[in-house]
Amino acid sequence: MPRSSAVQHTPFPAMAIVIMMMLMLGGCQLVASSSGLSPSTLAKEDPLQYAPPVTQGLDAEGLSLLIGAELAAQRGNYQRASLDYLKATQRYPAAELAERATFTARYSDSSQLLLDATQRWQALAPDATAPRRLLAAITLQQGQWIESLEQRLAIARTGEDTDLTALAEFAIAENGPLPDLLDRLRVYLTSPETDNLQSDPWVAAALLEMALGETRAAEASLESARQREDIGRSLWLATARLGLQTQDYTKARQAAREGLADDPQDVRFILLLAQTEIRLGNLTAAQQQTNQLLENHQGGDELRLALAELYLDEGYPEPAQQLLQPFIGQPQVPDRAYILLGEIARANQEIDNALLYFRQVSEGDDFIPARARAADMLIDNQRLIDARAFLRIERMAHDPYYNSLLMLEIQLLDEYGLTQEADRLLDRELARTPDDSALLYQRAMRAWEAGDIEQMETDLKRLLANEPDNANALNALGYTLADENLDGRLDEAQRLIERAYELAPDDPAVLDSMGWVYYRQGDPQRALDWLERAFAVMPDQEIAAHLAEVLHELGRSEEARELIDRLIRQTSEHPAIDELLERLPNLAP
């Protein structure tokens, strides 16, 4: 009977892994030569019956595990492959196997598996920087800012570049925990191990200090950075930004010029140089410099658009319009140009012209934002009826965006206090398409916000009747039943949330719901693990409030206060934390 192709053609990577393990672990010990049995006896009995136990090397189970892992990867079952490689590292603690587990996990759909594999790799190769770099990226993606910083600092101690300035800039853009990041970075910068470091950590500290308004501290950090040998673009960029922030425009202009001399193609310095000239009142000089830079620079349309946006933001629509003139009449005008032209017309009170520009933005990422700008502009000019008519016409003309445009109109009505009008609009659309899942979910969420749990449950159950595997609806209904702590319905809430978890095991909202329903059932210890997992993936204030309450229930009130304090410092608005402190005022930091 011929062998299958899978057996005939064992993939080379699988054999390479097996050979590697055999060499590394000293070979297989399958039978002992001193068994004392004759060949005739061996022929009649199990040849491994009297073999001593395997104490090192690959045994049959280990060999099978490794080959199975490689075959799973070859067949595209990356999650199974990674799990098997991780299991193999428990039997054979080799960094190469953990690296292989990490590689295959990157192609799976499980972020937790990737984290587990990378942590195992780092544990088995503590001096390697590759797993630390990956851990820095994974933890940052999961919102674990401090852990990402710790991984980067560990790499920096080896003398390698970790681009801490990029982490600082991202934290500023994403409203990360800037005070905590800065505190940790300052501790690191005052340690003796930083004597031979490059300027990057000091520039990162300066960026965080600038974002927190600590301009004197930022200047001191930048001065420390200037004492290093690797003065470069990041230092000039931070110096120029600090000059703009402190209104020292001459200093900002000089730093921008230094950066531009270092890299004439860096658009950031071109924009900063133009901005400083504008702030210094040298509008003509700024325009002349801008035109010269456009002639010499290869940035093309993107640079022209960025400069036009800069002039518009600084309150100079005319130079912005001049920069956009070359786009007029082109066969394909960038959507961003239409948006800027619309904003220029809006600034000049040319409302109908602005509307024409906004409507020319094509379907894509800018489509809804452009319609939102147009509708908001009309409402600002006391033309609510025109705004609603505009959005209705756009819905008819762009069917793929029908629901998005409908939600936009509802949002605008809510913002202007016309909640009943918004409700009537949504009810009317659901009467037309009663099984539209997106609209049912939207009405359910509005009912929840209004405290109408009965209506919410009705809409979500209708949605689930049509889509029983809708994880968002399952989780929303389960969480609400748990949060309201309705008599006799906690078991039902648990079943709904468990089904949502089966469908979306990495969703932090679902993990939070799992923890919360266990807490409502009187099992805070079991709830803790789920809430910690949820917070690790998405450290928002609602999950933090749940986690703090459970910690308090478990007698760990000081940890709860520290968590609450960190969240309060990170965000300006934190209604979930405020509500918790109203109920449990002794948790106030």
Side-chain angles (χ1 to χ4, degrees):
M1 182 175 179
R3 298 178 180 178
S4 69
S5 59
V7 176
Q8 288 176 322
H9 305 291
T10 302
F12 172 76
M15 288 295 99
I17 291 290
V18 172
I19 292 171
M20 174 197 73
M21 291 299 299
M22 290 175 68
L23 292 173
M24 183 173 60
L25 299 173
C28 299
Q29 292 182 335
L30 296 179
V31 296
S33 59
S34 57
S35 62
L37 298 178
S38 65
S40 59
T41 304
L42 288 172
K44 296 176 182 179
E45 300 183 26
D46 181 356
L48 299 182
Q49 182 177 354
Y50 300 102
V54 176
T55 58
Q56 65 178 10
L58 284 168
D59 58 8
E61 184 177 351
L63 187 64
S64 174
L65 186 64
L66 290 172
I67 293 178
E70 189 65 26
L71 289 176
Q74 293 291 323
R75 293 166 181 162
N77 189 350
Y78 299 113
Q79 183 162 339
R80 171 49 52 193
S82 182
L83 287 169
D84 283 350
Y85 278 126
L86 272 180
K87 186 177 179 181
T89 66
Q90 302 302 321
R91 298 168 62 90
Y92 315 112
E96 292 83 357
L97 288 177
E99 181 179 3
R100 191 71 172 171
T102 303
F103 177 79
T104 49
R106 294 180 73 169
Y107 292 94
S108 73
D109 295 326
S110 175
S111 58
Q112 185 61 45
L113 178 58
L114 177 58
L115 178 61
D116 292 342
T118 311
Q119 288 175 333
R120 181 61 174 159
W121 181 17
Q122 193 272 321
L124 293 174
D127 296 329
T129 58
R132 288 195 180 278
R133 289 187 184 279
L134 188 53
L135 278 173
I138 295 170
T139 51
L140 181 59
Q141 187 178 35
Q142 295 180 343
Q144 299 183 54
W145 296 92
I146 301 300
E147 178 60 27
S148 181
L149 176 60
E150 292 290 356
Q151 295 295 339
R152 293 167 191 264
L153 292 179
I155 298 171
R157 292 187 188 98
T158 68
E160 293 190 26
D161 179 39
T162 58
D163 203 0
L164 290 165
T165 55
L167 175 65
E169 289 182 334
F170 188 65
I172 294 166
E174 296 296 318
N175 195 28
L178 305 190
D180 292 341
L181 289 170
L182 181 56
D183 288 346
R184 179 64 190 92
L185 196 53
R186 282 172 170 169
V187 170
Y188 176 71
L189 289 174
T190 55
S191 61
E193 60 190 322
T194 61
D195 289 344
N196 298 318
L197 286 183
Q198 297 178 335
S199 63
D200 182 54
W202 279 273
V203 176
L207 291 173
L208 295 172
E209 288 159 346
M210 289 160 55
L212 293 169
E214 301 178 21
T215 54
R216 290 186 179 179
E219 179 55 49
S221 294
L222 291 178
E223 182 58 35
S224 296
R226 293 186 193 102
Q227 308 306 315
R228 307 287 148 171
E229 296 181 356
D230 61 320
I231 294 177
R233 285 177 293 171
S234 63
L235 176 57
W236 296 126
L237 193 64
T239 303
R241 289 174 176 171
L242 180 60
L244 284 171
Q245 186 171 338
T246 59
Q247 299 183 7
D248 189 346
Y249 302 130
T250 302
K251 183 176 182 179
R253 179 174 60 182
Q254 182 58 35
R257 286 174 174 171
E258 294 282 1
L260 199 59
D262 187 48
D263 185 356
Q265 300 300 315
D266 194 323
V267 174
R268 296 174 298 177
F269 291 114
I270 296 174
L271 296 174
L272 280 169
L273 189 55
Q275 190 172 13
T276 54
E277 292 288 8
I278 294 171
R279 296 283 180 89
L280 286 166
N282 301 330
L283 185 61
T284 301
Q287 289 181 270
Q288 292 174 347
Q289 200 167 52
T290 295
N291 293 333
Q292 184 178 358
L293 289 168
L294 283 170
E295 291 176 4
N296 299 332
H297 196 273
Q298 302 300 316
D301 290 351
E302 284 302 313
L303 176 57
R304 184 174 292 276
L305 289 167
L307 286 165
E309 188 169 7
L310 171 63
Y311 278 106
L312 187 59
D313 289 343
E314 292 292 326
Y316 294 97
E318 290 185 9
Q321 189 163 22
Q322 291 173 12
L323 284 165
L324 295 171
Q325 285 302 316
F327 292 112
I328 305 301
Q330 285 187 4
Q332 292 184 332
V333 178
D335 286 332
R336 192 173 164 198
Y338 280 131
I339 290 176
L340 291 174
L341 287 166
E343 289 294 345
I344 291 169
R346 181 181 183 177
N348 293 328
Q349 288 299 307
E350 299 170 0
I351 305 304
D352 291 327
N353 283 341
L355 186 62
L356 289 174
Y357 285 127
F358 287 135
R359 292 190 70 174
Q360 291 184 73
V361 174
S362 59
E363 295 185 357
D365 293 340
D366 293 319
F367 180 84
I368 293 297
R371 272 64 188 175
R373 288 170 186 251
D376 186 64
M377 173 188 68
L378 290 170
I379 295 175
D380 276 348
N381 283 270
Q382 312 302 316
R383 295 171 59 176
L384 175 62
I385 294 175
D386 289 345
R388 298 192 66 182
F390 162 69
L391 291 174
R392 185 168 58 253
I393 292 170
E394 291 296 284
R395 289 201 295 273
M396 297 300 106
H398 301 278
D399 189 63
Y401 293 87
Y402 192 97
N403 279 355
S404 297
L405 289 164
L406 178 65
M407 293 303 112
L408 176 59
E409 184 175 350
I410 290 171
Q411 178 185 339
L412 287 171
L413 290 170
D414 282 339
E415 288 177 0
Y416 283 86
L418 302 172
T419 305
Q420 291 184 346
E421 282 290 320
D423 289 338
R424 281 194 288 268
L425 174 60
L426 185 54
D427 289 342
R428 189 162 59 246
E429 289 297 324
L430 270 169
R432 187 178 64 84
T433 55
D435 293 327
D436 189 301
S437 296
L439 298 185
L440 284 169
Y441 189 83
Q442 180 70 13
R443 190 167 70 177
M445 293 302 99
R446 290 177 66 82
W448 175 77
E449 291 173 359
D452 190 348
I453 305 303
E454 183 178 352
Q455 180 62 54
M456 175 193 181
E457 185 174 355
T458 298
D459 283 334
L460 288 179
K461 284 188 172 180
R462 184 172 178 177
L463 190 164
L464 289 169
N466 298 326
E467 296 182 20
D469 291 340
N470 189 308
N472 286 334
L474 287 164
N475 183 61
L477 182 54
Y479 173 79
T480 302
L481 295 177
D483 193 49
E484 295 294 323
N485 208 9
L486 299 176
D487 290 340
R489 303 198 66 181
L490 287 178
D491 289 344
E492 178 187 355
Q494 181 179 343
R495 288 193 296 272
L496 289 165
I497 296 168
E498 285 177 345
R499 177 58 183 149
Y501 176 70
E502 291 175 4
L503 296 165
D506 295 326
D507 189 333
V510 175
L511 298 176
D512 175 56
S513 297
M514 288 287 283
W516 199 235
V517 74
Y518 287 134
Y519 175 65
R520 288 300 199 196
Q521 290 173 327
D523 193 349
Q525 190 61 54
R526 189 177 184 186
L528 182 63
D529 177 62
W530 292 96
L531 293 173
E532 287 179 333
R533 287 173 58 190
F535 188 73
V537 177
M538 187 173 71
D540 75 353
Q541 51 108 9
E542 185 170 353
I543 298 176
H546 290 161
L547 179 55
E549 185 166 348
V550 169
L551 287 169
H552 175 65
E553 182 71 19
L554 292 170
R556 297 162 61 178
S557 299
E558 189 56 37
E559 292 178 56
R561 290 188 194 94
E562 292 175 359
L563 176 63
I564 290 170
D565 180 51
R566 188 161 70 246
L567 263 293
I568 289 175
R569 290 198 295 159
Q570 288 177 16
T571 56
S572 57
E573 296 184 1
H574 29 72
I577 297 292
D578 294 340
E579 188 275 332
L580 174 64
L581 293 178
E582 286 180 9
R583 290 189 291 106
L584 302 171
N586 59 330
L587 285 182

